[in-house]
Amino acid sequence: MKKFVIPIIAAAILGVGAGVTAVMMNRANVATADDAVGVEEVEVKSGSYYLNGDVDSGLWVVVTPETISLKGDDIDASMREAIAELYEEELSEEFMQENIDMNKLLYCEEKPYFAHVVNLPKSRCVISVERENRPVEKREDLLNTNAGFGYEDTTDTIHLSLFGDFTLVE
């Protein structure tokens, strides 16, 4: 049982990457969603962000002024490969499918987002999202979630911890 609990916890932590740390650090500075004073919102350019900037990679992130989502030629296969690489060991089909489902919910659903400056060493900004698909009344409410993706606004790069860096291709 321990063999499966530890990888599940690791997957949950790695599933949001730097975003969790950034959002948690930011939460100390934000008492409530209505008290977003001092939070510097950042504009994320709309368009398609491709894995490593390669339009032939088969994976891309679509950003609109309102939503963000991961798209791909074969999302399940891409996730299966990334998860296998993450764990570096043989996984049961049940465990693999649970991880795929969890990551599809986080990455692939079109989600509203709120991008803001956090000034962490690996990422200047975070794109905060709702981990589940609960409704969001105001985008600023996303400051109080525990899910997010690293974003470097100077290079138009979004970091999804399961896959790596996605760069805007115009």
Side-chain angles (χ1 to χ4, degrees):
M1 183 70 174
K2 262 188 183 176
K3 184 176 180 181
F4 292 109
V5 172
I6 292 171
I8 289 171
I9 293 169
I13 291 169
L14 292 171
V16 295
V20 167
T21 304
V23 171
M24 292 309 230
M25 290 177 69
N26 194 44
R27 287 177 84 173
N29 297 327
V30 181
T32 67
D34 294 331
D35 184 23
V37 177
V39 175
E40 182 183 345
E41 185 173 1
V42 174
E43 179 184 346
V44 180
K45 290 182 185 172
S46 293
S48 296
Y49 292 69
Y50 290 88
L51 182 60
N52 300 318
D54 179 5
V55 296
D56 296 323
S57 67
L59 285 174
W60 60 95
V61 173
V62 175
V63 176
T64 71
E66 300 297 321
T67 63
I68 184 169
S69 62
L70 176 69
K71 306 290 183 187
D73 295 335
D74 188 343
I75 291 291
D76 284 357
S78 296
M79 285 198 174
R80 183 174 293 280
E81 183 179 321
I83 292 165
E85 189 174 307
L86 174 67
Y87 286 101
E88 298 178 343
E89 64 181 70
E90 188 69 29
L91 303 173
S92 72
E93 184 54 35
E94 179 182 354
F95 182 76
M96 176 63 79
Q97 193 58 53
E98 287 173 6
N99 270 269
I100 290 170
D101 294 343
M102 176 184 70
N103 282 292
K104 283 174 79 171
L105 180 62
L106 176 62
Y107 293 125
C108 299
E109 299 291 326
E110 287 187 4
K111 296 178 180 267
Y113 65 88
F114 185 82
H116 52 100
V117 175
V118 291
N119 286 318
L120 292 175
K122 291 185 178 183
S123 189
R124 185 177 112 75
C125 307
V126 164
I127 299 172
S128 295
V129 298
E130 173 61 49
R131 176 179 298 282
E132 308 295 325
N133 281 337
R134 292 182 283 241
V136 176
E137 289 183 32
K138 297 181 298 189
R139 292 174 73 199
E140 294 83 6
D141 291 347
L142 293 167
L143 287 169
N144 295 318
T145 66
N146 66 350
F149 314 122
Y151 176 60
E152 189 55 55
D153 60 335
T154 59
T155 59
D156 296 319
T157 302
I158 299 170
H159 182 76
L160 302 184
S161 60
L162 187 60
F163 297 104
D165 291 334
F166 290 74
T167 304
L168 179 64
V169 175
E170 298 184 78

